[in-house]
Amino acid sequence: MFQRVHAHWRALPATARLYVTAASVAGALLAALGGGTWWMLERAYATSVQLAYSEVDAASQRLSDRVQRLFDQLNQTASLVKHYQESGGGADLVAMEKNGLLVPAGRLSMALADQTGQVLGMTEAQGAVPAGAKHVADRQHFQGSWTRTDLAIAQPVYSDVLKRWLVPGGKQLQHPNGKFAGAVLLAFDAALLTEGFTVNDSPGNAVGVVGADGIFRSRRSDDRQSAGDQVDGDQIVRAVDRTDRSMKPAASAIDGIVRFRSVTPIPGHDLYAVVAVPASTSMAGYYALRTKTLATAAFGALLILFMTWVLSRQSLRLRRTVMQKEQAELRVYHEKEMLEVTLRSIVDGVATTNHLGRITYLNPAAEAMTGWPAAQAIGKPVSEVICLTHTHTRERLGLGLNEFARPGAQPRPARDSVLVQRDGAHRSIEDSAAPILNRNGMAVGAVLVLHDVSPAKKLAAEMSYQASHDLLTGLLNRAAFEVRLDAAITTQDLDETGVVMFLDLDQFKVVNDTCGHVAGDQLLKQVTALLMQEIRKQDTLARLGGDEFAVLLEACPMEPALRVAEAMRRRISELQFSWEGRSFQLTVSVGVVPFKAHQYTRSDLLRVADSSCYVAKEAGRNRVHVYDEADTAVATRNDELDWYSRLQKALTEDRFVLYAQRIASIQEGAGGHESVEVLIRLRDDEGKIVAPIAFIPAAERYGLMPQIDRWVISKALAMHAGFARHSTLPARFSINLSGASMADPTLVDFVREQLAIHRVSPELICFEITETAAVASFDVAVQMINRLRELGCRFALDDFGAGMSSFTYLKRLPVDYVKIDGAFVKDMAKDAVDFAMVEAIHNVAHRMGLRTVAEFVQNDVTIEMLRGLGVDYVQGYGVEKPRPLDDATRSEPPPSFVKPMALPKLMAA
């Protein structure tokens, strides 16, 4: 078949073959031109859309920050009124308004209402409550303050009196007991949210603040200010996610204008900052580029057609003689080769040379990069116009054009170099070169391509700096400090000592909370300047985050290191930081850890330094703590930190287990239940059981006890039914509660929910709280006990007698049982004072109608003595050792302790 096609092709006249070939080439070039134009326009469109979204994203973030600052200002004003109102003296809003304490002045009205919605007072400026209104219980901003303790922003309302839109808000007032006492009501001009905010100078921009309900609190487009406009709230919330945005702008549901839109949430409020710019202005550059590109493509297409026609005509003429044909083909080949190489490199700087190495062409980019105009450069040696040096050594580099004179020479790949411009300036580039070959494969010139990488290198340098430095203070950040610390640990001489210091500002939070983050940032800069004065050039000072700093002193003995630490401490303590008329005295806690090469891993060294700083802070602050191997305080701190992570893991992996110890009745008629105290244990990674004395202190310090208590309650109630099946009497569980859980207002709801889920009668649950925990927050404890007893649960006061005011508090605590502290019970058979204490506690408790439980009972002698005193229940190893709550042997009937045994001689004595 190929032979037949070839035969038909050869049978065609030469002119026809030429026309067919020319048409095919022209078609291919036109297709390539069209495809390239389409691809370029698509890229340009995507870039323009990205730039438009970048503009509105930045603007919406600015608007969000601005609105947040306004809300913070309003919240501070409301908090001031709340303070005056709750302090007992009452807040005189009119006086505060006249004294300029209600800001923003002139744009804000305020009122006070009690818990029933009765209006107590208002400013002269109107709007916070409707004109003439005496009750506001049905108003949204009053209702919003019921459940929120911070500032609640409601939907906008139009004031017929003021003839403008207002945005109402409310902040909760509280009684001293924490109950709702009313609200501070306010209303501010809705225009405050958007007025004066500009995106760019183009018309048609729209900015606004909208709620998740889709109602605009304020909206401004050009000179039109409005509020209350309704849009799709779900669409607004979804627009916060910027990962899958449409490349096409959407038409506004309000004015129909097609815009690019960005939505940014306003922290702390269910509101969003919305900024939209018209596509007609943000895409104007693209539309102009598209027109220019299409015109250029059309011109290129005409040029291709024209060149095809010219070449065809020339080829027909050149066929008349062989010499004319060879010369014409050679000229066309050279022009085609130069055109193709130039087109491939036109984006970068491009220069062409002849076989003598002299410049024949510079494109505009090459002119700008070298500083040589093309008219002056053409004809000059290429080495004079393009001077390249090594990136690091600055040695002169050859262009390598001589290599192209050899047959079969290949293009030289790109390399990093520095271009020395005509005026002596340096520019980082990547240069490459390729030969221009004739039909015989011999080089007749070269093309040099210069790619400017200066912006990319500058950006890389900036990103590298930002990745290793704290942008506020200019110090190294944590990651960079750890790199230097790794180097010091591994490369320091074995006989040299290095020192790591951790510094923590003691009163920084006071400045931050009182004066704001701007003041806090200024303080950190001043502290940085003071610390820098005390270290050597080779030392490292870093900011780890917040108000924490770290210092690395390499090759520094302890004596001068301590002088540096003390000097830093003294410098900070002498600093008087002033901000807007306020003065603050700061101190710093410093932890100092010396180290030798390879003595610690980086993580261990940082942990010890952090713990040493913590010990300094715990010891009273404004001091230096030096760590040594025998430092028990730091070791305790590290153990607690280890326990914190282990407890988190135990909660996540359900590694806790429940044990139980029997509480036995020793009096006739005191039974009726099979009672046990539920105890918690921890199963470690090796499967061993860990007693609570090892981990409870760490759990209390790091606030994990409420989680652990809830786990115990949920697990114990889930196991109650299985335990009860092995008992002939109703099973009662005694569950310990920590002081932290007693202060948790949601605990009662959790207990109620768990009782319902596991179908356990509340009277079968007795909660225990230690006397120490009850006394620490007495009123809170009484309130929690009453609420749990209202559910039907019982309550026991554990370890009674250990406190100093036991009988005083016992009279006021609404408990059912008193558990006598084991410290008195265990030796009462040998110690008359302990015996008397147990007797006294029991007698007082019985006089108050409470049952008594003796703890730490170890033998029958003690049980008999307790029975003789009339104590109701006993607990301890003499009754039963703790064992797993799900122990199958519990199905065996437990021994009875009710029947009296013979009175010991010691008791008779």
Side-chain angles (χ1 to χ4, degrees):
M1 181 176 180
F2 174 78
Q3 293 178 347
R4 290 199 301 270
V5 172
H6 181 69
H8 285 301
W9 174 257
R10 297 296 298 176
L12 291 174
T15 303
R17 293 203 304 269
L18 178 61
Y19 284 148
V20 171
T21 301
S24 300
V25 172
L29 290 175
L30 289 173
L33 179 62
T37 302
W38 176 85
W39 178 84
M40 185 174 67
L41 289 176
E42 282 293 310
R43 291 292 300 274
Y45 179 83
T47 301
S48 297
V49 171
Q50 291 174 358
L51 289 174
Y53 275 127
S54 298
E55 181 183 27
V56 295
D57 287 345
S60 67
Q61 184 62 54
R62 286 192 291 110
L63 179 58
S64 174
D65 294 341
R66 165 185 159 151
V67 173
Q68 181 63 37
R69 290 192 295 271
L70 174 61
F71 285 167
D72 289 344
Q73 186 182 47
L74 293 171
N75 188 47
Q76 290 176 359
T77 301
S79 296
L80 178 62
V81 175
K82 170 184 171 71
H83 170 73
Y84 280 116
Q85 183 67 18
E86 291 179 348
S87 62
D92 188 343
L93 295 179
V94 175
M96 295 178 71
E97 181 181 30
K98 291 181 178 179
N99 292 330
L101 297 179
L102 305 184
V103 291
R107 308 293 293 274
L108 172 69
S109 64
M110 301 192 73
L112 288 169
D114 62 14
Q115 63 268 30
T116 65
Q118 177 72 32
V119 177
L120 303 178
M122 65 183 71
T123 58
E124 291 183 353
Q126 300 184 24
V129 297
K134 299 300 181 180
H135 287 83
V136 291
D138 59 339
R139 294 293 170 174
Q140 189 183 47
H141 58 318
F142 177 79
Q143 296 174 355
S145 65
W146 291 350
T147 57
R148 292 186 59 154
T149 58
D150 57 348
L151 184 63
I153 301 299
Q155 296 178 359
V157 296
Y158 184 76
S159 173
D160 293 328
V161 177
L162 301 177
K163 302 302 182 182
R164 63 174 181 262
W165 283 93
L166 301 177
V167 177
K171 187 173 181 69
Q172 185 181 104
L173 294 174
Q174 294 181 342
H175 288 294
N177 60 6
K179 292 186 177 181
F180 179 72
V184 178
L185 306 178
L186 57 85
F188 59 91
D189 191 349
L192 278 175
L193 296 173
T194 55
E195 69 179 6
F197 184 85
T198 59
V199 182
N200 52 42
D201 296 333
S202 301
N205 298 327
V207 299
V209 177
V210 64
D213 53 8
I215 297 177
F216 273 92
R217 272 51 174 178
S218 179
R219 183 180 184 275
R220 184 172 60 82
S221 177
D222 293 334
D223 295 331
R224 182 181 179 273
Q225 180 76 43
S226 64
D229 297 318
Q230 177 77 44
V231 294
D232 187 347
D234 293 337
Q235 191 179 67
I236 291 294
V237 175
R238 290 195 299 269
V240 174
D241 183 7
R242 300 172 180 171
T243 57
D244 189 22
R245 294 197 289 201
S246 172
M247 296 295 288
K248 293 183 179 180
S252 170
I254 298 175
D255 55 18
I257 297 177
V258 177
R259 295 185 178 94
F260 287 101
R261 179 183 66 189
S262 176
V263 179
T264 300
I266 298 173
H269 300 275
D270 202 10
L271 300 174
Y272 302 87
V274 181
V275 173
V277 297
S280 58
T281 57
S282 59
M283 298 293 287
Y286 165 74
Y287 296 145
L289 176 64
R290 182 178 64 182
T291 301
K292 183 178 179 180
T293 302
L294 292 176
T296 303
F299 176 79
L302 292 175
L303 181 61
I304 291 173
L305 294 174
F306 176 74
M307 290 296 296
T308 303
W309 178 79
V310 171
L311 291 176
S312 300
R313 296 287 297 177
Q314 185 70 13
S315 297
L316 287 174
R317 287 193 294 268
L318 290 178
R319 286 186 59 84
R320 297 171 185 173
T321 62
V322 174
M323 185 62 68
Q324 289 178 342
K325 178 182 177 181
E326 290 178 350
Q327 291 178 350
E329 288 177 350
L330 181 62
R331 193 160 50 247
V332 171
Y333 187 86
H334 288 169
E335 292 175 357
K336 179 176 178 294
E337 185 71 8
M338 291 179 62
L339 179 62
E340 290 179 353
V341 174
T342 302
L343 288 175
R344 285 198 302 269
S345 309
I346 201 67
V347 176
D348 299 315
V350 178
T352 61
T353 69
N354 58 19
H355 66 287
L356 298 176
R358 294 185 177 274
I359 296 291
T360 59
Y361 173 75
L362 286 181
N363 72 344
E367 289 181 299
M369 294 172 67
T370 62
W372 283 86
Q376 298 179 20
I378 292 176
K380 292 186 178 295
V382 66
S383 58
E384 181 180 346
V385 177
I386 301 176
C387 177
L388 302 179
T389 62
H390 193 275
T391 302
H392 303 294
T393 65
R394 292 297 190 262
E395 295 180 357
R396 183 71 180 265
L397 296 177
L399 298 175
L401 301 185
N402 295 333
E403 300 294 327
F404 297 153
R406 296 183 301 177
Q410 299 296 318
R412 177 172 59 77
R415 64 182 178 183
D416 291 331
S417 59
V418 175
L419 173 65
V420 182
Q421 300 178 191
R422 190 177 186 182
D423 59 2
H426 289 185
R427 184 190 295 262
S428 296
I429 66 167
E430 290 180 351
D431 71 284
S432 60
I436 300 176
L437 307 177
N438 61 13
R439 63 167 52 186
N440 297 322
M442 301 300 294
V444 294
V447 173
L448 296 173
V449 179
L450 310 176
H451 177 58
D452 188 1
V453 296
S454 296
K457 287 195 172 183
K458 181 180 179 181
L459 178 60
E462 292 177 353
M463 294 179 64
S464 176
Y465 179 85
Q466 294 177 4
S468 60
H469 287 74
D470 173 50
L471 298 183
L472 175 63
T473 62
L475 300 177
L476 294 180
N477 59 19
R478 179 182 287 273
F481 181 78
E482 291 178 350
V483 171
R484 292 202 179 181
L485 185 58
D486 282 335
I489 292 173
T490 56
T491 62
Q492 184 173 258
D493 292 340
L494 295 177
D495 58 345
E496 289 184 341
T497 299
V499 175
V500 170
M501 301 181 189
F502 262 41
L503 299 88
D504 191 304
L505 298 179
D506 295 325
Q507 289 84 21
F508 178 75
K509 190 175 186 300
V510 175
V511 178
N512 232 15
D513 294 344
T514 304
C515 302
H517 293 291
V518 175
D521 292 347
Q522 185 62 36
L523 173 58
L524 290 175
K525 292 179 181 179
Q526 293 185 20
V527 169
T528 298
L530 293 177
L531 297 179
M532 288 295 294
Q533 297 175 14
E534 301 300 332
I535 62 174
R536 304 167 298 180
K537 290 184 178 180
Q538 65 267 33
D539 297 331
T540 301
L541 174 63
R543 181 186 176 207
L544 303 183
D547 58 350
E548 295 181 346
F549 296 83
V551 179
L552 172 61
L553 306 178
E554 300 184 55
C556 180
M558 273 302 294
E559 184 175 349
L562 288 176
R563 287 199 298 271
V564 171
E566 182 60 29
M568 289 180 171
R569 185 203 64 76
R570 186 176 60 256
R571 281 270 193 178
I572 301 303
S573 65
E574 294 172 353
L575 172 64
Q576 288 287 341
F577 177 71
S578 298
W579 186 265
E580 296 181 350
R582 298 181 180 180
S583 181
F584 298 90
Q585 179 75 41
L586 273 80
T587 59
V588 65
S589 299
V590 185
V592 179
V593 182
F595 68 94
K596 297 284 188 180
H598 304 289
Q599 181 182 0
Y600 299 101
T601 64
R602 183 235 300 161
S603 59
D604 289 341
L605 185 54
L606 290 175
R607 182 162 57 90
V608 172
D610 182 42
S611 297
S612 298
C613 180
Y614 174 82
V615 171
K617 188 177 288 288
E618 287 289 296
R621 308 188 179 192
N622 191 27
R623 63 193 63 221
V624 176
H625 182 86
V626 181
Y627 171 76
D628 59 45
E629 296 291 344
D631 197 330
T632 57
V634 173
T636 301
R637 162 72 169 170
N638 290 336
D639 289 343
E640 289 181 350
L641 289 174
D642 291 340
W643 267 116
Y644 176 76
S645 60
R646 291 176 65 183
L647 290 173
Q648 290 280 28
K649 182 179 180 182
L651 286 168
T652 303
E653 299 180 359
D654 199 24
R655 286 180 174 268
F656 289 111
V657 294
L658 293 184
Y659 273 52
Q661 186 178 37
R662 185 185 176 199
I663 302 174
S665 171
I666 60 174
Q667 300 293 344
E668 290 288 346
H673 293 90
E674 178 64 28
S675 300
V676 295
E677 180 178 355
V678 178
L679 307 171
I680 190 170
R681 300 289 189 268
L682 173 66
R683 181 178 290 108
D684 63 15
D685 294 337
E686 298 177 357
K688 296 180 180 178
I689 298 299
V690 181
I693 189 64
F695 59 83
I696 290 298
E700 291 176 337
R701 176 179 290 276
Y702 295 109
L704 295 178
M705 281 308 301
Q707 293 177 254
I708 294 176
D709 285 347
R710 290 191 176 213
W711 183 92
V712 172
I713 293 170
S714 177
K715 192 71 173 180
L717 294 181
M719 299 175 67
H720 184 273
F723 180 90
R725 283 197 296 268
H726 301 310
S727 176
T728 57
L729 296 175
R732 173 173 288 168
F733 281 2
S734 290
I735 301 174
N736 291 281
L737 290 179
S738 65
S741 291
M742 293 295 290
D744 182 1
T746 64
L747 179 66
V748 176
D749 292 335
F750 176 78
V751 172
R752 181 187 293 110
E753 176 186 2
Q754 294 298 314
L755 289 171
I757 291 175
H758 301 294
R759 299 181 180 180
V760 178
S761 175
E763 67 176 10
L764 298 179
I765 302 300
C766 178
F767 290 105
E768 296 186 12
I769 181 174
T770 65
E771 177 190 0
T772 303
V775 172
S777 299
F778 187 82
D779 292 336
V780 174
V782 170
Q783 184 179 7
M784 179 61 71
I785 292 173
N786 283 327
R787 293 181 64 191
L788 287 172
R789 294 183 79 229
E790 288 174 0
L791 292 181
C793 300
R794 301 293 187 265
F795 235 97
L797 188 61
D798 199 8
D799 297 336
F800 186 76
M804 296 180 61
S805 304
S806 301
F807 292 125
T808 301
Y809 288 106
L810 178 61
K811 186 177 180 180
R812 297 172 57 192
L813 285 170
V815 297
D816 303 284
Y817 301 93
V818 175
K819 302 189 74 172
I820 304 173
D821 188 66
F824 302 123
V825 176
K826 65 179 181 178
D827 294 326
M828 63 179 290
K830 296 181 285 185
D831 191 315
V833 175
D834 286 348
F835 182 90
M837 289 295 296
V838 172
E839 182 180 24
I841 293 172
H842 167 72
N843 289 336
V844 171
H846 263 215
R847 286 297 184 104
M848 297 175 62
L850 306 179
R851 297 289 186 93
T852 53
V853 182
E855 299 181 295
F856 215 89
V857 176
Q858 297 183 343
N859 51 59
D860 293 341
V861 173
T862 304
I863 293 175
E864 181 60 25
M865 295 177 71
L866 292 168
R867 181 185 291 110
L869 290 176
V871 173
D872 300 292
Y873 303 95
V874 291
Q875 179 183 359
Y877 280 21
V879 177
E880 178 186 82
K881 292 184 178 181
R883 50 178 174 161
L885 185 59
D886 56 356
D887 190 343
T889 61
R890 290 189 180 275
S891 59
E892 302 174 3
S896 174
F897 292 87
V898 174
K899 294 182 180 181
M901 294 181 288
L903 187 66
K905 293 182 179 181
L906 180 61
M907 278 295 298

